[in-house]
Amino acid sequence: MAMTVLVCDSVPVVRDGLKSLLSEAPDVTRVSATGNAVECLVTTRKLKPDVLITDLSPEGMDGIDFVHRVIRENAQERDGRPGVVVFASDMTDRVIETLLRAGAITLLEKETGREMFSPR
């Protein structure tokens, strides 16, 4: 299954690293990246990615508010896509619960190894 991925991470090395890693995956047809929440919202509307990977501190907006907004704006379209994956380093139980209730499909710690992003 071919998919389009959008990465939104405030740290350039993480953002570029994810983009590079995902570009190598055989089932990913396009990867775009930004660190800015507003730019990401605009790109999401235009690109209509299958998956959005975001951290909790995109430039320009609180991360939890950003996740809520992406999910809310896309809830009625394309079966709720994009699926939102939160990729962050410090998440409390309260934040995890909030993100999952908002509709994030999964949460990954930034310490996650390359194998989590590789095809099985």
Side-chain angles (χ1 to χ4, degrees):
M1 174 181 169
M3 72 175 109
T4 301
V5 179
L6 177 57
V7 176
C8 183
D9 197 291
S10 60
V11 180
V13 70
V14 173
R15 180 175 62 240
D16 295 344
L18 281 172
K19 183 177 179 183
S20 177
L21 180 67
L22 292 166
S23 294
E24 297 173 7
D27 54 345
V28 175
T29 55
R30 181 174 181 184
V31 182
S32 296
T34 182
N36 182 289
V38 174
E39 184 178 325
C40 187
L41 289 169
V42 171
T43 303
T44 299
R45 291 179 200 121
K46 187 165 53 171
L47 184 60
K48 300 192 184 311
D50 299 298
V51 177
L52 168 64
I53 301 172
T54 185
D55 68 351
L56 286 177
S57 55
E59 182 182 320
M61 191 178 296
D62 172 77
I64 293 174
D65 291 341
F66 173 66
V67 170
H68 277 284
R69 185 161 174 186
V70 168
I71 291 169
R72 185 177 61 245
E73 286 186 8
N74 293 283
Q76 302 302 318
E77 295 183 33
R78 306 170 291 114
D79 300 323
R81 282 189 219 139
V84 177
V85 175
V86 178
F87 190 57
S89 54
D90 293 317
M91 289 186 275
T92 64
D93 289 344
R94 186 173 137 308
V95 169
I96 291 169
E97 182 179 344
T98 300
L99 291 168
L100 291 174
R101 285 180 190 247
I105 60 173
T106 194
L107 310 167
L108 297 172
E109 291 188 282
K110 285 196 175 180
E111 291 77 20
T112 298
R114 180 183 184 104
E115 65 278 357
M116 289 299 292
F117 291 94
S118 299
R120 297 177 193 241

Short mmCIF file of all heavy atoms in Angstrom, two decimals, residues 11-48:
data_model
loop_
_atom_site.label_atom_id
_atom_site.label_comp_id
_atom_site.label_asym_id
_atom_site.label_seq_id
_atom_site.Cartn_x
_atom_site.Cartn_y
_atom_site.Cartn_z
N VAL A 11 12.69 20.16 15.59
CA VAL A 11 14.14 19.95 15.60
C VAL A 11 14.59 19.54 14.19
O VAL A 11 14.23 18.45 13.73
CB VAL A 11 14.55 18.90 16.65
CG1 VAL A 11 16.06 18.69 16.65
CG2 VAL A 11 14.05 19.29 18.03
N PRO A 12 15.36 20.38 13.50
CA PRO A 12 15.73 20.08 12.12
C PRO A 12 16.39 18.72 11.91
O PRO A 12 16.07 18.03 10.94
CB PRO A 12 16.69 21.22 11.75
CG PRO A 12 16.28 22.35 12.63
CD PRO A 12 15.87 21.70 13.93
N VAL A 13 17.29 18.31 12.78
CA VAL A 13 17.97 17.03 12.58
C VAL A 13 16.99 15.86 12.71
O VAL A 13 17.08 14.87 11.99
CB VAL A 13 19.20 16.89 13.51
CG1 VAL A 13 18.78 16.71 14.96
CG2 VAL A 13 20.09 15.74 13.07
N VAL A 14 16.02 15.97 13.60
CA VAL A 14 15.00 14.93 13.75
C VAL A 14 14.09 14.93 12.53
O VAL A 14 13.82 13.89 11.93
CB VAL A 14 14.19 15.12 15.05
CG1 VAL A 14 13.03 14.15 15.12
CG2 VAL A 14 15.09 14.98 16.27
N ARG A 15 13.63 16.12 12.15
CA ARG A 15 12.74 16.26 11.00
C ARG A 15 13.39 15.71 9.73
O ARG A 15 12.81 14.90 9.01
CB ARG A 15 12.39 17.75 10.84
CG ARG A 15 11.49 18.06 9.70
CD ARG A 15 11.08 19.53 9.69
NE ARG A 15 12.22 20.45 9.51
CZ ARG A 15 12.58 21.38 10.38
NH1 ARG A 15 11.92 21.55 11.51
NH2 ARG A 15 13.60 22.17 10.14
N ASP A 16 14.64 16.13 9.47
CA ASP A 16 15.34 15.68 8.26
C ASP A 16 15.68 14.20 8.33
O ASP A 16 15.63 13.50 7.32
CB ASP A 16 16.60 16.51 8.05
CG ASP A 16 16.29 17.97 7.77
OD1 ASP A 16 15.13 18.30 7.43
OD2 ASP A 16 17.20 18.81 7.91
N GLY A 17 16.01 13.73 9.52
CA GLY A 17 16.31 12.30 9.69
C GLY A 17 15.10 11.43 9.43
O GLY A 17 15.20 10.40 8.74
N LEU A 18 13.95 11.83 9.96
CA LEU A 18 12.72 11.07 9.70
C LEU A 18 12.37 11.09 8.22
O LEU A 18 11.99 10.07 7.65
CB LEU A 18 11.56 11.65 10.51
CG LEU A 18 11.49 11.27 11.97
CD1 LEU A 18 10.41 12.08 12.68
CD2 LEU A 18 11.23 9.79 12.13
N LYS A 19 12.51 12.27 7.62
CA LYS A 19 12.20 12.38 6.18
C LYS A 19 13.09 11.45 5.37
O LYS A 19 12.63 10.73 4.49
CB LYS A 19 12.36 13.83 5.71
CG LYS A 19 11.98 14.02 4.27
CD LYS A 19 12.07 15.48 3.85
CE LYS A 19 11.71 15.60 2.37
NZ LYS A 19 11.85 16.96 1.89
N SER A 20 14.37 11.46 5.67
CA SER A 20 15.31 10.60 4.95
C SER A 20 15.01 9.12 5.17
O SER A 20 14.97 8.33 4.22
CB SER A 20 16.73 10.92 5.41
OG SER A 20 17.66 10.07 4.80
N LEU A 21 14.78 8.75 6.40
CA LEU A 21 14.48 7.36 6.74
C LEU A 21 13.21 6.88 6.06
O LEU A 21 13.17 5.81 5.45
CB LEU A 21 14.36 7.21 8.26
CG LEU A 21 14.04 5.83 8.80
CD1 LEU A 21 15.21 4.88 8.54
CD2 LEU A 21 13.76 5.92 10.30
N LEU A 22 12.17 7.69 6.13
CA LEU A 22 10.89 7.29 5.54
C LEU A 22 10.93 7.30 4.01
O LEU A 22 10.22 6.53 3.38
CB LEU A 22 9.77 8.20 6.05
CG LEU A 22 9.44 8.03 7.53
CD1 LEU A 22 8.59 9.18 8.03
CD2 LEU A 22 8.77 6.69 7.77
N SER A 23 11.77 8.14 3.42
CA SER A 23 11.90 8.17 1.96
C SER A 23 12.44 6.86 1.41
O SER A 23 12.23 6.53 0.25
CB SER A 23 12.83 9.32 1.54
OG SER A 23 12.24 10.55 1.84
N GLU A 24 13.15 6.11 2.25
CA GLU A 24 13.71 4.82 1.84
C GLU A 24 12.70 3.68 1.92
O GLU A 24 12.94 2.61 1.36
CB GLU A 24 14.91 4.48 2.72
CG GLU A 24 16.06 5.45 2.60
CD GLU A 24 17.16 5.18 3.61
OE1 GLU A 24 17.09 4.16 4.33
OE2 GLU A 24 18.08 6.00 3.69
N ALA A 25 11.60 3.87 2.61
CA ALA A 25 10.61 2.81 2.77
C ALA A 25 9.91 2.54 1.45
O ALA A 25 9.47 3.48 0.77
CB ALA A 25 9.60 3.20 3.85
N PRO A 26 9.79 1.28 1.05
CA PRO A 26 9.21 0.96 -0.25
C PRO A 26 7.73 1.33 -0.39
O PRO A 26 7.27 1.59 -1.49
CB PRO A 26 9.40 -0.55 -0.36
CG PRO A 26 9.62 -1.03 1.03
CD PRO A 26 10.20 0.10 1.79
N ASP A 27 6.99 1.39 0.71
CA ASP A 27 5.57 1.69 0.62
C ASP A 27 5.25 3.18 0.82
O ASP A 27 4.10 3.58 0.80
CB ASP A 27 4.77 0.85 1.60
CG ASP A 27 5.26 0.97 3.03
OD1 ASP A 27 6.38 1.47 3.23
OD2 ASP A 27 4.53 0.55 3.94
N VAL A 28 6.27 4.01 0.98
CA VAL A 28 6.08 5.45 1.11
C VAL A 28 6.40 6.10 -0.23
O VAL A 28 7.51 6.00 -0.73
CB VAL A 28 6.96 6.04 2.24
CG1 VAL A 28 6.83 7.56 2.28
CG2 VAL A 28 6.59 5.44 3.58
N THR A 29 5.39 6.76 -0.81
CA THR A 29 5.58 7.35 -2.13
C THR A 29 6.03 8.81 -2.07
O THR A 29 6.62 9.32 -3.01
CB THR A 29 4.28 7.29 -2.96
OG1 THR A 29 3.23 7.91 -2.22
CG2 THR A 29 3.92 5.85 -3.26
N ARG A 30 5.72 9.48 -0.94
CA ARG A 30 6.11 10.89 -0.82
C ARG A 30 6.24 11.24 0.65
O ARG A 30 5.41 10.87 1.46
CB ARG A 30 5.05 11.77 -1.46
CG ARG A 30 5.39 13.24 -1.41
CD ARG A 30 4.38 14.05 -2.19
NE ARG A 30 4.77 15.46 -2.14
CZ ARG A 30 4.06 16.43 -2.64
NH1 ARG A 30 2.93 16.16 -3.24
NH2 ARG A 30 4.46 17.67 -2.55
N VAL A 31 7.30 11.98 0.98
CA VAL A 31 7.51 12.48 2.33
C VAL A 31 7.79 13.97 2.25
O VAL A 31 8.68 14.39 1.51
CB VAL A 31 8.70 11.79 3.04
CG1 VAL A 31 8.85 12.31 4.46
CG2 VAL A 31 8.54 10.28 3.04
N SER A 32 7.03 14.75 2.99
CA SER A 32 7.26 16.19 3.11
C SER A 32 7.53 16.48 4.58
O SER A 32 7.14 15.71 5.45
CB SER A 32 6.04 16.98 2.63
OG SER A 32 5.83 16.74 1.26
N ALA A 33 8.18 17.61 4.85
CA ALA A 33 8.52 17.92 6.24
C ALA A 33 8.51 19.42 6.49
O ALA A 33 8.82 20.21 5.60
CB ALA A 33 9.89 17.35 6.58
N THR A 34 8.14 19.77 7.72
CA THR A 34 8.16 21.15 8.19
C THR A 34 8.30 21.15 9.70
O THR A 34 8.06 20.12 10.34
CB THR A 34 6.86 21.90 7.79
OG1 THR A 34 6.95 23.25 8.24
CG2 THR A 34 5.63 21.25 8.37
N GLY A 35 8.66 22.27 10.26
CA GLY A 35 8.74 22.41 11.71
C GLY A 35 7.69 23.36 12.24
O GLY A 35 7.57 23.57 13.43
N ASN A 36 6.91 23.94 11.35
CA ASN A 36 5.95 24.97 11.68
C ASN A 36 4.52 24.42 11.64
O ASN A 36 4.10 23.87 10.62
CB ASN A 36 6.11 26.13 10.69
CG ASN A 36 5.20 27.27 10.99
OD1 ASN A 36 4.00 27.17 10.79
ND2 ASN A 36 5.78 28.37 11.45
N ALA A 37 3.78 24.59 12.73
CA ALA A 37 2.42 24.04 12.82
C ALA A 37 1.48 24.63 11.78
O ALA A 37 0.71 23.89 11.15
CB ALA A 37 1.87 24.26 14.22
N VAL A 38 1.52 25.93 11.57
CA VAL A 38 0.63 26.57 10.60
C VAL A 38 0.95 26.08 9.19
O VAL A 38 0.06 25.73 8.41
CB VAL A 38 0.69 28.11 10.70
CG1 VAL A 38 -0.13 28.77 9.61
CG2 VAL A 38 0.22 28.56 12.09
N GLU A 39 2.23 26.03 8.85
CA GLU A 39 2.64 25.52 7.54
C GLU A 39 2.20 24.06 7.39
O GLU A 39 1.77 23.64 6.32
CB GLU A 39 4.15 25.64 7.38
CG GLU A 39 4.65 25.22 6.02
CD GLU A 39 6.15 25.39 5.87
OE1 GLU A 39 6.72 26.36 6.43
OE2 GLU A 39 6.77 24.55 5.20
N CYS A 40 2.29 23.31 8.45
CA CYS A 40 1.87 21.91 8.41
C CYS A 40 0.37 21.78 8.15
O CYS A 40 -0.06 20.92 7.39
CB CYS A 40 2.26 21.21 9.71
SG CYS A 40 1.96 19.43 9.65
N LEU A 41 -0.43 22.63 8.78
CA LEU A 41 -1.88 22.60 8.54
C LEU A 41 -2.19 22.89 7.08
O LEU A 41 -3.02 22.21 6.47
CB LEU A 41 -2.59 23.59 9.46
CG LEU A 41 -2.63 23.22 10.94
CD1 LEU A 41 -3.13 24.40 11.77
CD2 LEU A 41 -3.49 21.99 11.17
N VAL A 42 -1.52 23.89 6.53
CA VAL A 42 -1.72 24.24 5.12
C VAL A 42 -1.29 23.09 4.22
O VAL A 42 -2.00 22.70 3.28
CB VAL A 42 -0.97 25.54 4.76
CG1 VAL A 42 -0.98 25.80 3.26
CG2 VAL A 42 -1.56 26.72 5.51
N THR A 43 -0.13 22.50 4.52
CA THR A 43 0.38 21.39 3.72
C THR A 43 -0.53 20.17 3.84
O THR A 43 -0.75 19.45 2.86
CB THR A 43 1.82 21.03 4.16
OG1 THR A 43 2.64 22.19 4.03
CG2 THR A 43 2.39 19.91 3.31
N THR A 44 -1.09 19.95 5.02
CA THR A 44 -2.02 18.83 5.21
C THR A 44 -3.24 19.00 4.32
O THR A 44 -3.69 18.03 3.69
CB THR A 44 -2.44 18.72 6.69
OG1 THR A 44 -1.28 18.48 7.48
CG2 THR A 44 -3.43 17.59 6.90
N ARG A 45 -3.76 20.21 4.25
CA ARG A 45 -4.93 20.46 3.39
C ARG A 45 -4.60 20.22 1.91
O ARG A 45 -5.42 19.71 1.16
CB ARG A 45 -5.42 21.89 3.58
CG ARG A 45 -6.04 22.13 4.92
CD ARG A 45 -6.51 23.59 5.07
NE ARG A 45 -6.66 23.89 6.47
CZ ARG A 45 -6.02 24.85 7.12
NH1 ARG A 45 -5.19 25.65 6.46
NH2 ARG A 45 -6.20 25.04 8.40
N LYS A 46 -3.40 20.61 1.51
CA LYS A 46 -3.00 20.50 0.11
C LYS A 46 -2.55 19.08 -0.25
O LYS A 46 -2.98 18.52 -1.25
CB LYS A 46 -1.88 21.50 -0.18
CG LYS A 46 -1.51 21.59 -1.64
CD LYS A 46 -0.67 22.81 -1.99
CE LYS A 46 0.57 22.98 -1.15
NZ LYS A 46 1.46 24.04 -1.66
N LEU A 47 -1.67 18.51 0.57
CA LEU A 47 -1.07 17.21 0.27
C LEU A 47 -2.00 16.05 0.61
O LEU A 47 -1.93 15.00 -0.03
CB LEU A 47 0.24 17.09 1.06
CG LEU A 47 1.10 15.86 0.85
CD1 LEU A 47 1.55 15.74 -0.60
CD2 LEU A 47 2.31 15.90 1.79
N LYS A 48 -2.84 16.21 1.62
CA LYS A 48 -3.74 15.16 2.10
C LYS A 48 -2.96 13.87 2.41
O LYS A 48 -3.22 12.82 1.84
CB LYS A 48 -4.86 14.90 1.12
CG LYS A 48 -5.71 16.13 0.86
CD LYS A 48 -6.97 15.80 0.13
CE LYS A 48 -7.79 17.01 -0.24
NZ LYS A 48 -8.08 17.97 0.73
#
